Amino acid sequence: MSNAEFKKQLQEWRQQLHRIPETAFEEVKTSAYIAQELKKMGLEVHENIGRTGVVASLTVGEGNGIIGLRADMDALNLMEVKKLPYRSEHQGKMHACGHDGHMTTLLGAAKLLSTRKNFNGTVRFIFKPAEEIGKGAQAMMDDKLFERFPVDAIYGLHNMPGLPVGTIHTKSGPIMASEDNFVIRIKGKGSHSSSPHMGIDPLVIAAEIILAPNSSGEKSRSASNSSCIMYRNSFRWNSKCNSL
C-alpha cells in the first residue's frame, strides 16, 4: 500500500466513524465497524469486552513481549452544526472530542503492523467504550481484559489540535486530566423569603462552592500540570416562589 493509498484509507475510516457517533456503552455500530475492519486485516478479534469493547491481537515471530495499544470509541451528546459531507447521522450526538481520530489512528497502526510484520512478539489493539463517563476501562477489566489478553505495557494517546503536525508531546508523570465524578448535597433550612435570617439558604452555599475554586485560578491551569481541576456541570435544587 502506497502512502497515498494509506492516507485515503485513513480518511475513509475517520469519516465513516465520524458519521456514526455513539455515546457511552451504546457503541454498537462503531464496535461492529471496527471489528469488521480488523478482521479484514486477518487479526484475531474479540467483541463485547466490557459490553461494547473490542480487542484484536497480532502475533509475529516467537517473541514473548506483549504490548497494548488503546483508543476510545464513545462520542458526546452534542449537536453537530457544520454541514460536512460526513457529518453526524445520529441526531444530538457528535465526535467532538476526537475519538473518531483515535480509532482511526489505532486502525492505521493495526494496518501497518499487520502488513509489515516487522516486530517479534504480540500487539493487542484495545478499543475502549465509555471513556467520557469514566467507566469503560473498569467495565473491560471487570470482563477480565488483562486475564484474557495480558500485556506487559499499554500505550494510549489523545489528539491535541494546535500542536505542530507530525509531533508528539509527552512528559514524565501525569500529562492529561482523568475523570472522577462526585455529588455534593446541600441541605438548607426553610423559611419565608422575607425572613431569610430564620432559614439557611442552600443556593448561597452552592454559589460559594462554585465560585471559590474559580477564584483560585483553577481554570487557568493546564491539565498537563499535576493539579486538581474541579468542574461543575449540573446544578439542581427544589424551590418554591417566595420561599427558601
Side-chain angles (χ1 to χ4, degrees):
M1 177 180 285
S2 67
N3 287 340
E5 290 171 329
F6 184 56
K7 181 179 180 180
K8 183 178 180 181
Q9 177 66 85
L10 292 174
Q11 290 174 332
E12 179 184 315
W13 282 330
R14 190 254 166 175
Q15 292 178 7
Q16 177 57 24
L17 290 165
H18 192 85
R19 289 187 184 99
I20 55 170
E22 296 169 300
T23 47
F25 294 125
E26 297 176 349
E27 308 95 333
V28 176
K29 291 182 180 178
T30 301
S31 60
Y33 180 77
I34 291 292
Q36 167 191 295
E37 296 304 303
L38 293 168
K39 288 174 183 176
K40 289 179 183 178
M41 302 175 201
L43 274 61
E44 174 190 323
V45 179
H46 298 265
E47 301 176 65
N48 305 315
I49 312 298
R51 293 167 64 175
T52 49
V54 178
V55 178
S57 297
L58 173 65
T59 298
V60 175
E62 299 178 354
N64 295 322
I66 308 174
I67 65 167
L69 302 177
R70 163 266 186 204
D72 32 26
M73 299 190 296
D74 54 328
L76 293 170
N77 289 304
L78 291 174
M79 179 72 69
E80 183 164 22
V81 296
K82 287 188 176 181
K83 303 301 182 183
L84 299 169
Y86 53 89
R87 65 183 176 272
S88 170
E89 297 174 357
H90 296 169
Q91 186 78 2
K93 298 182 187 294
M94 176 187 177
H95 272 301
C97 194
H99 295 185
D100 50 342
H102 296 174
M103 291 182 282
T104 298
T105 300
L106 192 49
L107 283 172
K111 181 65 175 178
L112 289 178
L113 290 171
S114 63
T115 301
R116 296 174 179 176
K117 293 184 169 61
N118 55 351
F119 66 97
N120 186 29
T122 297
V123 180
R124 314 273 194 208
F125 304 95
I126 302 169
F127 292 84
K128 185 185 83 172
E131 185 272 342
E132 295 292 351
I133 64 170
K135 295 182 179 180
Q138 189 63 55
M140 295 190 83
M141 290 188 289
D142 289 344
D143 220 359
K144 308 299 182 185
L145 171 67
F146 294 122
E147 290 85 352
R148 298 164 65 183
F149 311 100
V151 298
D152 300 318
I154 186 167
Y155 300 90
L157 58 78
H158 202 292
N159 68 80
M160 188 61 70
L163 295 182
V165 174
T167 64
I168 297 174
H169 288 217
T170 188
K171 58 173 282 192
S172 298
I175 190 171
M176 298 191 75
S178 65
E179 178 187 6
D180 289 297
N181 297 305
F182 61 90
V183 175
I184 298 175
R185 290 186 173 87
I186 303 167
K187 294 184 178 179
K189 180 181 178 181
S191 73
H192 193 276
S193 57
S194 65
S195 305
H197 62 287
M198 298 179 67
I200 299 174
D201 190 346
L203 291 180
V204 173
I205 299 170
E208 289 292 338
I209 292 173
I210 291 172
L211 293 173
N214 291 341
S215 65
S216 68
E218 138 197 323
K219 287 188 178 177
S220 66
R221 291 196 296 265
S222 169
S224 63
N225 297 324
S226 298
S227 61
C228 176
I229 298 175
M230 188 168 72
Y231 186 78
R232 286 71 47 193
N233 63 3
S234 181
F235 188 21
R236 302 177 185 177
W237 69 94
N238 296 318
S239 181
K240 301 295 183 182
C241 182
N242 212 28
S243 64
L244 299 182

